Amino acid sequence: MLIKKPDPIKSSEITDRAVWQDRRRLIKAAAAAGVGLVAERAGALASRPGQGQAISGVVDTDYGRGLALTDFQDATSYNNFYEFGTAKSDPARHAHSLQTRPWTVRVDGECDKPGEIGIEDILKDFTQEERIYRFRCVEAWAMTVPWVGFPLGDLLKRFQPNSRANFVAFETLFDPQQMPGQQRGVLDWPYREGLRMDEAMHPLTLLATGLYGEVLPNQNGAPLRLVVPLKYGFKSIKSIVGIRFVRDIPETTWWKLAPREYGFYANVNPQVDHPRWSQKRHRVLGAGLFAAKQPTQLFNGYAEQVAGLYRGMDLSRFY
Amino acid sequence: MIDKMRRLTIWWLVFLGGLLPLAGIVHGGLYGDLGPNPVEAVLHGTGDWALRLLLLTLAMRPLQRLTGRPGWLRWRRMLGLYSFFYATLHGLTWAWLDQQWDLSGMLVDVVKRPYITVGFTALALLLPLAATSTRAAMRRLGRRWQRLHRLVYPIAVLAVLHFVWLVKADWEEPAIYGGVLGVMLVLRIPTVMLVLRRVLGLERPILARRAGDSP
Ligand code: HEM
């Protein structure tokens, strides 16, 4: 069943497997010895499922250490990615048509050095970190994913945003051939998202290139996606091809489609219900038929890090 | 004798057929085949089948009129009861697996979330229909039975509305169910049925022959 394809990534970028696994074993052993509470599946670096290319030089971090991870299989087979269909299982089935190499991201707008950057350079120029983040969908389900990526701010700084850059707008690839879901007008394509400048520059805000130590599977938004763990999942736009610094609040896909249901901020908040369902609790993927829902936390549990961003804001009005 | 055997065989086939969706769900549950969000899978599976069987129940009258065979009407009871069965499982899945019997939370949802309000109303209205589905009840209620069972139309409308209101952006599926329901309702208009029978060549030209016209 395995079809040999030419490697999309230069082999020099791939860490030798033995070195990689050895390092993991060491870290795992250290973690097990040091911290008795670390769950079995949550070693220092997530173990690789071996489904995709490894990303080289991934640096371990403390983000989310000790959280129980969602199974790789679950995290990669239950996705909202309407570009490949509206059922949760559609992306995993249809996203193989997406070509992620070559891939360039255009960065422009209110900045001094607009330009383009390729995915190879992104992987080379920015130190890739593993960060375990909670991920909470607006539909009241959640998972915990060991992402690989780097702070969005690091990339943005390179293009030197000017003083008029109040917001950052993002755009997903538009190509109905590669993304057959776009042949139907379910959403106003291309998918668009946005962040306030201070949110975009916040150290928690991640540009992800991988998960579980490997390049992103297509269905999870390959080759480059946003991950903003304090916000509902739809803010974490996938397969990004455009980033623009703008003065005014950008129009974003779900907000524009149903402004009463999806706000621009979309911060996880158990006190502010979606008009059609409660946001107080969420279902954890992979927890099984009989598991109770878990209580949802303000800013998805990242309140300490980000509350400063929203001080004095009425969160029920700016939802 | 052979006719009776045939009827019994069909009865068993339909009866067992109605259990297949449940068997699929139970099998999926036992073998962990329901995906990363099994509660949602059961909720959707039971809801889908409750609605499908309801629409199938509504298809029996048009089929009878179209074919002129009264036998179709016999299946309404079993199909209707199966719809109620899956709707009940659906409601129980919600109360137990989804809400974990959090009564106050459930009450809030029933009152505050229009799609739940509508689904709940549909299920509540199905209850008296299921309870009066026996021959004895039919006899006891007489004419009132018919009037009571016309509730099936608003129930079907509510069930489709329930689906429309729970969807986020892709209305294709509820639109298909709504379309099927629309067809079932339109086929109950006598003129429509008459025209359809003519078009399909099902109307025997008795009158024409009596008038002595050449064929
Ligand atoms: C107490 C009554 C009911 C409750 C609380 C209820 C609740 C729900 C819930 C929570 C969902 C899933 C929503 C989501 O995933 O976002 C759902 C879906 C659904 N329900 Fe109900 N429901 C009720 C009655 C009914 C009845 C009577 C029918 C049909 C006869 C029905 C048909 C459906 C259908 C077709 C779906 C969609 C399944 C899918 O997305 O594939 N429901 N219901």
Side-chain angles (χ1 to χ4, degrees):
Chain A
M1 283 306 287
L2 251 175
I3 297 163
K4 192 81 181 150
K5 275 199 211 141
D7 277 356
I9 295 177
K10 285 196 283 314
S11 57
S12 60
E13 281 177 40
I14 302 167
T15 312
D16 184 77
R17 204 188 183 102
V19 174
W20 181 265
Q21 285 173 340
D22 223 43
R23 193 176 135 219
R24 252 169 221 293
R25 220 171 294 129
L26 279 174
I27 295 167
K28 259 203 177 136
V35 198
L37 282 174
V38 173
E40 193 241 320
R41 283 186 301 179
L45 276 171
S47 62
R48 280 191 48 212
Q51 298 287 310
Q53 294 288 352
I55 298 178
S56 66
V58 178
V59 174
D60 185 24
T61 68
D62 280 339
Y63 286 98
R65 175 162 298 168
L67 292 178
L69 302 184
T70 300
D71 277 344
F72 172 83
Q73 174 63 27
D74 290 348
T76 56
S77 64
Y78 189 90
N79 310 100
N80 275 324
F81 198 175
Y82 282 15
E83 281 79 350
F84 298 102
T86 54
K88 299 284 187 294
S89 54
D90 281 340
R93 276 190 283 147
H94 303 307
H96 54 82
S97 52
L98 178 66
Q99 297 293 321
T100 57
R101 296 290 190 286
W103 189 279
T104 46
V105 181
R106 169 142 198 93
V107 185
D108 56 16
E110 298 289 354
C111 63
D112 295 339
K113 293 224 166 92
E116 289 187 340
I117 183 166
I119 187 66
E120 314 285 355
D121 288 333
I122 288 175
L123 283 164
K124 196 152 50 68
D125 295 357
F126 299 96
T127 306
Q128 305 293 313
E129 307 172 9
E130 177 167 285
R131 296 185 179 194
I132 298 169
Y133 278 167
R134 285 178 290 267
F135 181 95
R136 168 62 155 80
C137 179
V138 72
E139 296 167 342
W141 53 265
M143 53 184 177
T144 306
V145 181
W147 301 104
V148 176
F150 58 100
L152 169 67
D154 291 357
L155 180 111
L156 296 187
K157 275 182 224 148
R158 177 181 283 207
F159 297 89
Q160 300 185 7
N162 62 35
S163 61
R164 291 178 299 275
N166 298 324
F167 294 91
V168 189
F170 304 85
E171 210 170 281
T172 295
L173 174 72
F174 177 70
D175 184 341
Q177 238 46 52
Q178 291 187 56
M179 297 180 145
Q182 291 174 335
Q183 291 165 17
R184 288 180 57 216
V186 179
L187 295 178
D188 180 15
W189 314 112
Y191 194 92
R192 278 155 296 142
E193 260 309 332
L195 293 173
R196 220 168 55 187
M197 201 60 194
D198 56 349
E199 297 176 325
M201 300 304 289
H202 193 279
L204 265 184
T205 304
L206 199 72
L207 264 183
T209 53
L211 42 75
Y212 290 84
E214 301 178 351
V215 295
L216 282 171
N218 287 358
Q219 63 268 31
N220 291 82
L224 189 72
R225 67 169 292 169
L226 192 64
V227 178
V228 196
L230 59 141
K231 295 178 180 288
Y232 291 121
F234 69 87
K235 292 297 288 184
S236 294
I237 184 170
K238 305 186 182 81
S239 304
I240 298 170
V241 292
I243 299 178
R244 176 166 291 170
F245 299 102
V246 292
R247 284 167 79 145
D248 302 319
I249 193 163
E251 286 190 333
T252 60
T253 302
W254 282 100
W255 181 32
K256 230 185 110 192
L257 178 79
R260 280 192 54 249
E261 303 190 10
Y262 313 97
F264 174 80
Y265 286 96
N267 290 319
V268 174
N269 188 343
Q271 301 307 320
V272 179
D273 283 346
H274 184 281
R276 288 188 279 162
W277 57 83
S278 164
Q279 296 290 26
K280 286 193 176 50
R281 292 177 303 148
H282 57 260
R283 191 162 293 293
V284 176
L285 290 193
L289 263 178
F290 303 103
K293 288 184 185 172
Q294 295 300 306
T296 296
Q297 299 168 272
L298 180 63
F299 300 118
N300 205 18
Y302 299 97
E304 217 175 286
Q305 290 97 313
V306 301
L309 291 176
Y310 308 106
R311 193 156 293 138
M313 237 171 85
D314 180 355
L315 295 176
S316 60
R317 211 156 83 77
F318 299 99
Y319 51 89
Chain B
M1 185 62 188
I2 292 192
D3 220 40
K4 205 166 172 196
M5 283 281 288
R6 215 182 64 142
R7 244 201 241 174
L8 207 65
T9 313
I10 298 177
W11 190 92
W12 274 100
L13 282 179
V14 177
F15 177 74
L16 293 174
L19 288 174
L20 278 182
L22 178 63
I25 291 167
V26 170
H27 182 274
L30 291 177
Y31 290 87
D33 271 352
L34 296 175
N37 193 346
V39 176
E40 181 188 68
V42 176
L43 206 49
H44 285 190
T46 49
D48 283 343
W49 281 102
L51 182 54
R52 285 172 195 159
L53 287 156
L54 194 62
L55 294 176
L56 206 58
T57 312
L58 288 178
M60 294 302 114
R61 174 65 74 186
L63 279 172
Q64 175 254 324
R65 298 229 169 101
L66 217 52
T67 61
R69 289 167 189 270
W72 290 106
L73 299 182
R74 252 208 328 272
W75 302 109
R76 287 181 303 178
R77 175 185 295 150
M78 197 197 297
L79 292 173
L81 281 174
Y82 262 133
S83 172
F84 173 69
F85 175 64
Y86 283 102
T88 306
L89 288 180
H90 180 70
L92 286 175
T93 304
W94 173 73
W96 177 25
L97 299 181
D98 192 65
Q99 301 287 314
Q100 307 268 326
W101 300 114
D102 168 16
L103 290 182
S104 62
M106 284 157 61
L107 196 69
V108 169
D109 271 4
V110 168
V111 175
K112 201 169 154 189
R113 319 270 168 218
Y115 88 93
I116 301 277
T117 313
V118 159
F120 187 84
T121 311
L123 183 56
L125 292 177
L126 274 172
L127 209 70
L129 302 202
T132 57
S133 64
T134 59
R135 250 176 242 285
M138 284 179 85
R139 262 195 307 269
R140 192 152 32 79
L141 290 171
R143 283 195 148 279
R144 280 179 304 159
W145 187 90
Q146 277 210 337
R147 242 184 296 148
L148 179 63
H149 279 249
R150 286 206 187 106
L151 272 179
V152 71
Y153 302 119
I155 290 170
V157 172
L158 289 173
V160 169
L161 199 61
H162 172 62
F163 202 168
V164 169
W165 279 348
L166 67 85
V167 157
K168 271 173 64 196
D170 186 357
W171 281 275
E172 184 177 273
E173 250 190 281
I176 291 171
Y177 286 108
V180 172
L181 173 60
V183 170
M184 294 310 154
L185 296 181
V186 166
L187 287 179
R188 282 170 163 74
I189 303 169
T191 334
V192 172
M193 183 53 75
L194 203 71
V195 170
L196 190 64
R197 284 181 57 104
R198 290 254 164 82
V199 169
L200 294 177
L202 294 167
E203 204 71 59
R204 276 177 297 152
I206 301 170
L207 291 175
R209 239 184 289 138
R210 269 198 200 142
D213 287 354
S214 54

